[in-house]
Amino acid sequence: MIEFKSAEEIGRMAVAGQFVGELLAELSEIAAVGVNLMDIEHHARRRISERGAVSCYWDYSPSFGRGPFRNVLCLSVNDAVLHGLPHDYVLRDGDLLSIDMAVGVDGWVADSAVSVVVGVPDPADLKLIEATEVALAAGIAAAQPGGRLGDISAAIAEVGHSYGYEVNAEFGGHGIGRTMHEAPHVPNIGRARRGMRLDPGLTIAIEPWFCRTTDKIKYDKDGWTIRSADGSRTAHSEHTVAVTPAGPQVLTRRPARKEPAGTESAAGS
């Protein structure tokens, strides 16, 4: 069942979204060569607790995975793209890190993800991240009242293909509101002008992700971490978006990432 939100409820989701966006920007700054993934995880735990917010990931037990998820972040490195378990790993020069988080504030949830390169980036990794960000922007632009869900999916896939990437249809975006995962499923590939009507009050997480040379995936033994099947690098971008009478409203917009002098930003806002 799809629950449409009132303008007041969307405003409450935007409060959670602002916190998620600000914390993701903060975590992107912390991610650097020599930093342990668990330091990033524990920083997020502390900030969520200070805010009086609730992680949607902690104790999450979907049909996949092995046991409840006991972290507040998904941290996916290099060929890992989704649901990466934070663990004792020190980031190395050139690592591509995807950070994904969902948090509830006063009973309303927001979900977002960003990919960054630590240290000296490989241009191919920057292209991959850029593709997810451009696809995310295209998906958001397609989330127009009166449109169709397939418009979003088709827009994402068109960008992915234009960059030369195959598009996986197994995992994509989703409805969101009082809980992290609600109907509908928002695939990253589809046909324009098909699917459910996009009416005002629909709130969804749009999340394109691509692997550099495949659309196939595999799971780690932990049952959570999803990797490209061929070991190629991956990237992931996500925003929580509300369909409003005036058009799509991004609820998890984040401050621009500060880059060291002489480098270009790969993180979207």
Side-chain angles (χ1 to χ4, degrees):
M1 178 178 176
I2 296 172
E3 179 186 0
F4 291 89
K5 283 75 175 181
S6 67
E8 188 270 337
E9 290 170 333
I10 290 172
R12 294 176 68 182
M13 288 182 65
V15 173
Q18 180 179 359
F19 174 67
V20 168
E22 291 174 351
L23 183 50
L24 266 184
E26 191 175 312
L27 297 174
S28 298
E29 295 288 343
I30 293 170
V33 176
V35 172
N36 195 299
L37 293 183
M38 292 308 300
D39 292 335
I40 302 173
E41 164 72 16
H42 285 290
H43 182 91
R45 291 186 194 182
R46 183 171 63 254
R47 292 282 284 109
I48 290 170
S49 176
E50 290 170 351
R51 178 60 177 80
V54 177
S55 169
C56 298
Y57 291 173
W58 194 270
D59 276 343
Y60 184 54
S61 299
S63 58
F64 57 90
R66 181 173 297 171
F69 198 85
R70 289 300 177 92
N71 296 279
V72 302
L73 298 175
C74 290
L75 297 175
S76 306
V77 180
N78 295 333
D79 63 327
V81 65
L82 297 171
H83 310 153
L85 281 175
H87 60 286
D88 183 16
Y89 176 83
V90 176
L91 290 168
R92 303 169 184 171
D93 187 37
D95 275 347
L96 196 166
L97 172 67
S98 296
I99 309 171
D100 190 359
M101 63 177 293
V103 167
V105 176
D106 297 328
W108 293 93
V109 173
D111 188 2
S112 189
V114 63
S115 293
V116 297
V117 177
V118 301
V120 179
D122 181 332
D125 289 340
L126 295 183
K127 175 188 173 186
L128 184 62
I129 293 172
E130 177 184 280
T132 66
E133 292 173 349
V134 174
L136 177 58
I140 293 169
Q144 298 292 335
R148 297 286 178 174
L149 191 66
D151 298 343
I152 299 172
S153 303
I156 290 170
E158 182 178 4
V159 171
H161 293 150
S162 74
Y163 274 80
Y165 304 126
E166 299 178 77
V167 182
N168 179 283
E170 295 173 69
F171 287 90
H174 49 87
I176 186 169
R178 298 178 190 273
T179 61
M180 176 172 58
H181 285 148
E182 299 180 354
H185 174 58
V186 186
N188 286 332
I189 189 167
R191 297 176 64 184
R193 298 179 295 281
R194 298 296 178 92
M196 69 166 283
R197 180 185 171 93
L198 302 176
D199 289 325
L202 179 68
T203 50
I204 53 177
I206 300 175
E207 50 179 315
W209 58 272
F210 305 131
C211 307
R212 191 187 291 180
T213 57
T214 184
D215 62 346
K216 303 298 189 296
I217 56 175
K218 62 182 180 182
Y219 290 81
D220 277 3
K221 292 181 180 179
D222 61 33
W224 287 103
T225 306
I226 296 176
R227 300 181 184 274
S228 62
D230 62 359
S232 61
R233 290 203 167 187
T234 65
H236 176 205
S237 293
E238 177 183 16
H239 273 311
T240 295
V241 178
V243 178
T244 78
Q249 178 184 351
V250 178
L251 305 182
T252 48
R253 196 174 299 279
R254 53 188 176 268
R257 183 174 186 242
K258 297 176 183 178
E259 290 291 329
T263 64
E264 297 182 358
S265 173
S269 60

